[in-house]
Amino acid sequence: MTALIPTEATLPGRDQPLPLIDGHHVHGRHFMPPFADGLAQAIVGMGCFWGAERRFWQMAGVSNTQVGYMGGSTSNPSYKEVCTGATGHAEVVKVEFNPSIITYPELLIAFWQMHDPTTLNRQGNDIGTQYRSGIFYTSTEQKIIAMKSKEIYQHELDRLGFDLITTEILPAPDFWEAEEYHQRYLEKNPNGYDCHATTGVPFPIGLLSQEQSGSNV
């Protein structure tokens, strides 16, 4: 589906969550809160979550990653339901990170460079509302930084003749975990599908202030 459907038309979902395993298949750390002190979270959507998750888990300072669904109306949706476009959800990656090693602005810089935020409901050959670009902030500070980073990157894209950014920047709604086989999918299937559509435009890092770069959000 290439356009979001009205909330009243989305699938009803279910009251009970899908069967999940609360423990990483490699390091065993759990996904459910509460999380360790001193760690923070970032949540983004940037197309198929398989490749997106791998890019984040490879970054120094990222302690855990998890894929799921966000931004729709259906409770406890399945992957099959999300892919119909009838839940309104986007595929997202939740990134747990240590701000003393990698900051929220640095994660957003990677986010902008890792996909093409100018394509609406699409990344490469993946077409549908579940592939839309989004930043789901968990605090006012995250919102401010996200909006500023979008402004900076749009200015750079404008300068080079690219289209407008379509990325949603919204408060984080309910996060629904994806099924266990999706978690770290490309670690289990190293040669699996990995959509990697980007603009190829570097983010002008120097335009983010030192104050923002030192943020603990």
Side-chain angles (χ1 to χ4, degrees), residues 42-55:
I43 308 169
V44 296
M46 44 189 286
C48 178
F49 49 26
W50 293 344
E53 185 187 24
R54 178 162 64 180
R55 288 175 181 79

Side-chain angles (χ1 to χ4, degrees), residues 69-150:
Y69 317 115
M70 188 174 268
S73 303
T74 300
S75 300
N76 296 298
S78 69
Y79 179 69
K80 183 177 180 180
E81 291 169 339
V82 170
C83 287
T84 68
T87 72
H89 291 292
E91 295 186 20
V92 300
V93 183
K94 181 187 291 186
V95 181
E96 180 188 83
F97 65 99
N98 185 336
S100 67
I101 300 174
I102 188 168
T103 66
Y104 185 66
E106 288 170 334
L107 289 171
L108 290 184
I109 289 169
F111 162 80
W112 293 117
Q113 296 180 147
M114 278 193 239
H115 77 303
D116 184 350
T118 70
T119 52
L120 180 63
N121 300 324
R122 177 175 185 168
Q123 287 298 308
N125 292 324
D126 293 335
I127 300 173
T129 54
Q130 72 269 29
Y131 301 118
R132 66 188 184 273
S133 176
I135 300 172
F136 298 94
Y137 57 84
T138 60
S139 68
T140 300
E141 189 175 2
Q142 281 196 354
K143 176 184 178 181
I144 292 169
I145 295 171
M147 295 295 288
K148 182 62 177 178
S149 70
K150 178 180 178 180

Side-chain angles (χ1 to χ4, degrees), residues 49-69:
F49 49 26
W50 293 344
E53 185 187 24
R54 178 162 64 180
R55 288 175 181 79
F56 281 112
W57 88 53
Q58 292 174 336
M59 299 175 71
V62 172
S63 54
N64 209 346
T65 56
Q66 183 184 16
V67 295
Y69 317 115

